[in-house]
Amino acid sequence: MQVWMISLRVSLALMLLLGLGYNLLVTGIAQSTMPHQANGSLIYNEQEEPIGSELIGQQFTEPGYFHGRVSSIEYNAAGSGSANYAPSNPDLIARMEASLQEWQKENPEVPISQLPADLITNSGSGLDPHISPEAARVQIPRIQAETGISEEELMQMVDKHTKDRQFGFLGEPVVSVLELNLELQSKLSNQ
């Protein structure tokens, strides 16, 4: 009986220490040292309502906005991941052909040969909020035609929202589609 009591006490102590204490400690450190990231890196509108996250992409389909990467999960963070099809998979080929046809329909002035791969391919998570600067730039003629904002102004917006490589050498430069579209929307509402 004494062994059971010792086991029960040790189990309860470890549950409190590791199940509750550790989580409270880590949460407290995160909230005090980096509250923006600890709370989901949320982006707010002028009314201080959350409208998105810096970490999760959103679907933009209207022709007057910049479009992000294809997401096989429709940017639903509850089901992160992609189908991970091989390049020879018929389903992937069909989806990419459909994406190319849609691109040609929406962007007739930009040849497919200039289409960056990130506009027709999934990211590993299906949630990527970024595109390459090239992917943003090739959309400028369509957006200029839809909004009337000059190509020069749109190019400046893309350059403003381009983030360089992390630590100067990791990854590639990226553009946040949500932040870019928020500035675009603000510019349109002020016209």
Side-chain angles (χ1 to χ4, degrees):
M1 186 67 168
Q2 191 174 4
V3 171
W4 286 101
M5 291 305 290
I6 292 171
S7 297
L8 182 62
R9 283 189 211 134
V10 168
S11 294
L12 287 173
L14 287 173
M15 279 191 277
L16 287 173
L17 179 67
L18 299 176
L20 184 64
Y22 174 77
N23 291 321
L24 289 173
L25 176 69
V26 170
T27 301
I29 291 170
Q31 287 292 335
S32 62
T33 60
M34 49 185 170
H36 177 69
Q37 293 89 337
N39 292 315
S41 301
L42 297 177
I43 297 173
Y44 295 89
N45 63 12
E46 294 83 25
Q47 292 78 32
E48 295 300 315
E49 300 166 330
I51 55 171
S53 170
E54 295 172 5
L55 306 173
I56 298 175
Q58 293 185 14
Q59 190 73 28
F60 292 95
T61 57
E62 296 166 16
Y65 287 98
F66 289 91
H67 297 176
R69 294 187 75 160
V70 174
S71 174
S72 58
I73 59 170
E74 305 300 324
Y75 293 104
N76 181 352
S80 176
S82 66
N84 293 325
Y85 291 139
S88 60
N89 187 296
D91 291 339
L92 176 64
I93 293 169
R95 188 198 48 79
M96 289 184 74
E97 286 175 354
S99 292
L100 287 172
Q101 288 174 0
E102 187 172 334
W103 172 262
Q104 286 179 313
K105 184 177 76 177
E106 291 181 351
N107 303 278
E109 63 284 336
V110 181
I112 288 181
S113 62
Q114 292 179 9
L115 176 63
D118 55 326
L119 286 178
I120 58 168
T121 57
N122 266 339
S123 66
S125 67
L127 301 173
D128 195 351
H130 302 106
I131 56 176
S132 65
E134 295 78 23
R137 289 184 191 110
V138 298
Q139 298 181 64
I140 287 177
R142 180 193 73 236
I143 296 166
Q144 190 275 325
E146 289 288 327
T147 63
I149 297 173
S150 73
E151 284 192 31
E152 183 180 313
E153 244 183 309
L154 290 167
M155 189 67 78
Q156 289 171 355
M157 289 170 56
V158 169
D159 291 342
K160 175 183 172 186
H161 290 282
T162 298
K163 294 177 183 152
D164 202 9
R165 299 169 189 253
Q166 190 172 16
F167 307 121
F169 67 94
L170 293 176
E172 295 296 325
V174 294
V175 178
S176 169
V177 178
L178 176 58
E179 291 174 3
L180 186 57
N181 281 334
L182 287 173
E183 183 173 343
L184 180 61
Q185 188 174 35
S186 173
K187 201 168 281 286
L188 288 172
S189 64
N190 291 333
Q191 282 185 343

